Amino acid sequence: MDVHGVDRVIIATPNIDETAGQFSDLLGLEFGDLMEPTTETASGEQPVANLLSPSGVELVTPRSEDGQVARFLEHNGPGLYAVSIRVGDLAAAVSELEAKGVEPVGRYESAAFAEVFYHPEQFGGAFVILAEYDAPHPAETAST
């Protein structure tokens, strides 16, 4: 698998504005505009809102009570939600994992990038996202 490195870390929060303020006040991080993508998962569409900083810290909050981020917050409280890993060839990476019996639980695609999501039970408790895009990340460009 052609792993390029860590793309970003994703922190789940029930109050995205408050958490962004904390990261800004305490660490000087700046965030781009609020984005509200919808991710396709096995259980349907999962609307969320997220903010991304150029440093690779992403904040995410649920936009429905029955989505994955909402369930995470209910069971774990706010905190580290996922790690996104950039790969050179997403289709090849997905095929390689499927050959090892690891199936994705969701996908997100846009014109600029694609992501595939994997359940934490497959990766030692960490929700893993594989991402493919041409550098820089489209969300990073939008946040500057």
Side-chain angles (χ1 to χ4, degrees), residues 115-137:
E115 298 178 322
V116 176
F117 305 92
Y118 291 92
H119 196 279
E121 68 188 18
Q122 301 294 329
F123 290 95
F127 190 66
V128 170
I129 302 167
L130 298 183
E132 179 184 5
Y133 57 89
D134 292 328
H137 191 285

Side-chain angles (χ1 to χ4, degrees), residues 11-96:
I11 298 167
T13 176
N15 188 326
I16 200 164
D17 293 326
E18 180 180 312
T19 304
Q22 291 169 328
F23 274 83
S24 180
D25 292 345
L26 297 172
L27 298 176
L29 294 184
E30 297 295 324
F31 293 89
D33 294 332
L34 187 69
M35 297 178 284
E36 299 201 42
T38 299
T39 302
E40 279 295 319
T41 68
S43 60
E45 294 183 346
Q46 304 291 319
V48 296
N50 58 347
L51 292 171
L52 185 65
S53 75
S55 63
V57 174
E58 179 178 348
L59 306 177
V60 65
T61 195
R63 287 297 194 224
S64 72
E65 294 180 16
D66 62 346
Q68 292 174 345
V69 177
R71 284 192 300 276
F72 174 88
L73 288 168
E74 182 179 314
H75 291 109
N76 302 295
L80 183 61
Y81 174 67
V83 61
S84 176
I85 299 169
R86 184 169 175 225
V87 296
D89 184 337
L90 185 58
V94 169
S95 292
E96 186 175 327

